[in-house]
């Protein structure tokens, strides 16, 4: 049994959000073992960035950019901080994070709790020059009048610091946020956000890629609209997907809690949607697969379904930090077994099969 396996029962006796806070404090000490570099065949060159491997930490783990370097040190190929909003906000009332151990899932209704642009910007300035790919996931304040303006503010705040941006319009925990996925609203949001990015590129001399993060609960028509707008506005990539409101086939009593569900029950739904999106947008747009990844096998499935990059979060709750090394080792074995020159050769190889899966 791993050290985390021994410690997990004690951690699980603590409120989930408190335990997460302790995890961040432990990482912030800097006393984390460095992961040996991954097999060079796992390197990914997309978005104009050189990812040492395709496995990243999803947004929500490090909302305020407190530990991106520790995240990279334990083996992740990239870190995504946020979601960050222009003004600090407390989020929804506690308790608001619930583990579902028998389902290998988590429900959260955090509500974009974060310290705001200024605090994150100060931390990213402090780490400037350390290298590594650190994306910034931007959102809107709960009480804002013009939500698109908040996303524009996010671009302007971090255009000189972010490796890439993620426009998060898919959290179920801010009332009305997912309405921005409707075609007309999405078109306006993307036009304004990308214009702000292009203006910032002129000022700073660097063009930062912009990705869009969508919900797994979109119907077929909604997915088609997102794909069409993303292609029309020339978004750099799409992250599939955020948490789900679905509660199918869960056994834990905590399943009755409101909020977004993440973890293993999301895997099939999110992977099928990922494959459908790959078939809609073609091979050139970058796709990031998220949802239910807790092993090398599930990570490789995301890649064959169409993901250039893969993010994890809830899997760490149950498997611990050793999951990163386990996934990288397993992907390296898969590359050798399939005699691939690069992991990129597997991207989308099973997209049609996955697209037909029951999502």
């Amino acid at each position: 049994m791993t050290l985390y396996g021994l410690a997990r029962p004690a951690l699980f006796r603590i409120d989930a959000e408190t335990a997460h806070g302790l995890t961040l404090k432990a990482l912030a000490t800097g006393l984390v073992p460095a992961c040996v570099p991954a097999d060079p065949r796992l390197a990914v060159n997309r978005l104009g960035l050189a990812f040492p491997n395709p496995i990243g930490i999803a947004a929500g783990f490090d909302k305020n950019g407190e530990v991106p370097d520790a995240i990279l040190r334990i083996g992740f190929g990239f870190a995504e901080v946020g979601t960050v909003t222009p003004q600090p906000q407390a989020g929804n009332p506690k308790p608001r994070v619930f583990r579902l151990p028998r389902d290998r899932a988590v429900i959260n209704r955090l509500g974009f709790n974060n310290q705001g642009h200024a605090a994150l910007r100060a931390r990213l300035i402090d780490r400037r020059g350390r290298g590594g790919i650190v994306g910034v996931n931007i959102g809107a304040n709960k009480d804002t009048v013009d939500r698109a303006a908040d996303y524009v503010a996010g671009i302007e705040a971090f255009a000189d610091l972010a490796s890439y941006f993620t426009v998060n319009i898919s959290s179920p925990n801010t009332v009305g946020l997912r309405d921005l996925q409707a075609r007309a609203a999405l078109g306006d949001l993307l036009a304004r956000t990308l214009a702000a990015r292009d203006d910032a590129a002129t000022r700073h001399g660097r063009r930062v890629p912009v990705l869009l993060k969508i919900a797994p609960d979109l119907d077929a028509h909604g997915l088609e609209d997102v794909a069409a707008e993303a292609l029309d506005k020339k978004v750099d990539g799409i992250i599939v997907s955020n948490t789900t409101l679905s509660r199918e086939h869960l056994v834990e009593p905590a399943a009755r809690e409101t909020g977004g569900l993440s973890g293993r029950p999301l895997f099939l739904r999110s992977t099928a949607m990922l494959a459908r999106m790959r078939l809609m947008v073609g091979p050139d747009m970058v796709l990031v697969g998220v949802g239910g990844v807790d092993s090398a096998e599930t990570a490789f499935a995301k890649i064959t379904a169409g993901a250039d990059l893969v993010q994890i979060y809830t899997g760490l709750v149950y498997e611990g930090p050793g999951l990163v090394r386990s996934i990288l080792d397993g992907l390296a074995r898969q590359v050798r077994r399939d005699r691939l020159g690069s992991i990129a050769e597997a991207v989308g190889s099973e997209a049609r099969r996955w697209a037909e899966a029951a999502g």
Side-chain angles (χ1 to χ4, degrees):
M1 180 175 286
T2 65
L3 181 61
Y4 181 79
L6 293 171
R8 193 175 69 187
L11 281 174
F12 274 39
R13 285 193 288 271
I14 302 171
D15 168 75
E17 190 170 355
T18 301
H20 181 70
L22 292 173
T23 299
L24 292 178
K25 285 182 171 60
L27 288 169
T29 66
L31 301 176
V32 293
C35 183
V36 297
D39 188 313
R41 286 171 293 186
L42 298 185
V44 175
N45 291 293
R46 295 291 262 149
L47 300 172
L49 300 169
F51 296 83
N53 69 70
I55 307 302
I57 189 79
F61 182 86
D62 187 12
K63 286 177 174 290
N64 298 304
E66 298 172 276
V67 292
D69 295 298
I71 288 168
L72 298 172
R73 182 177 173 81
I74 62 176
F76 283 100
F78 62 108
E80 185 169 312
V81 299
T83 298
V84 62
T85 57
Q87 300 303 317
Q89 60 183 25
N92 294 320
K94 298 180 181 181
R96 54 192 182 179
V97 184
F98 307 90
R99 304 184 193 92
L100 286 68
R102 286 178 291 171
D103 299 305
R104 300 299 251 201
V106 168
I107 290 173
N108 91 81
R109 52 173 179 263
L110 288 162
F112 284 176
N113 59 308
N114 73 103
Q115 296 170 6
H117 284 178
L120 177 58
R121 180 169 173 79
R123 292 190 180 101
L124 293 181
I125 288 173
D126 185 59
R127 73 166 301 275
R128 183 180 265 162
R130 295 181 194 170
I133 296 172
V134 179
V136 177
N137 185 301
I138 55 176
N141 279 113
K142 180 179 180 179
D143 58 357
T144 192
V145 175
D146 183 351
R147 282 182 167 156
D150 279 11
Y151 289 94
V152 168
I155 298 289
E156 293 172 344
F158 302 104
D160 59 332
L161 296 165
S163 299
Y164 68 87
F165 284 109
T166 296
V167 174
N168 184 1
I169 57 172
S170 51
S171 169
N173 300 316
T174 296
V175 175
L177 187 74
R178 287 187 172 189
D179 294 343
L180 291 173
Q181 294 175 129
R183 187 160 187 176
L186 179 60
D188 176 68
L189 172 67
L190 292 179
R192 292 171 65 179
T193 302
L194 293 169
R197 185 273 309 275
D198 293 342
D199 288 346
T202 301
R203 293 195 306 274
H204 299 296
R206 61 192 299 265
R207 179 187 180 278
V208 183
V210 173
L211 287 72
L212 176 69
K213 188 167 186 175
I214 63 173
D217 303 319
L218 287 168
D219 61 18
H221 180 70
L223 195 65
E224 290 169 1
D225 282 351
V226 167
E229 284 299 323
L231 288 168
D232 180 66
K233 300 299 188 295
K234 296 181 172 56
V235 171
D236 296 284
I238 300 174
I239 299 181
V240 186
S241 62
N242 211 318
T243 57
T244 181
L245 294 173
S246 172
R247 295 293 188 270
E248 295 178 1
H249 312 303
L250 302 177
V251 300
E252 288 282 2
R256 66 178 179 271
E257 297 289 347
T258 59
L261 174 79
S262 61
R264 190 173 290 177
L266 182 56
F267 176 75
L268 181 59
R269 174 188 293 264
S270 61
T271 308
M273 175 177 275
L274 168 71
R276 292 170 193 145
M277 182 60 77
R278 174 55 74 197
L279 296 177
M280 290 178 188
V281 301
D284 296 331
M285 183 176 288
V286 172
L287 296 185
V288 182
V290 197
V293 175
D294 56 10
S295 65
E297 291 74 21
T298 48
F300 191 67
K302 292 283 188 189
I303 292 168
T304 63
D308 299 281
L309 302 164
V310 176
Q311 290 179 325
I312 64 176
Y313 182 173
T314 302
L316 293 171
V317 174
Y318 294 100
E319 304 299 330
L323 176 62
V324 187
R325 180 78 262 168
S326 175
I327 290 175
L328 295 178
D329 288 346
L331 290 179
R333 287 193 298 272
Q334 188 72 49
V335 165
R336 291 193 296 270
R337 188 178 305 125
D338 293 349
R339 299 181 180 178
L340 303 177
S342 165
I343 192 72
E345 294 176 16
V347 174
S349 59
E350 296 287 336
R352 293 201 177 275
R353 180 179 68 83
W354 271 108
E356 295 169 359

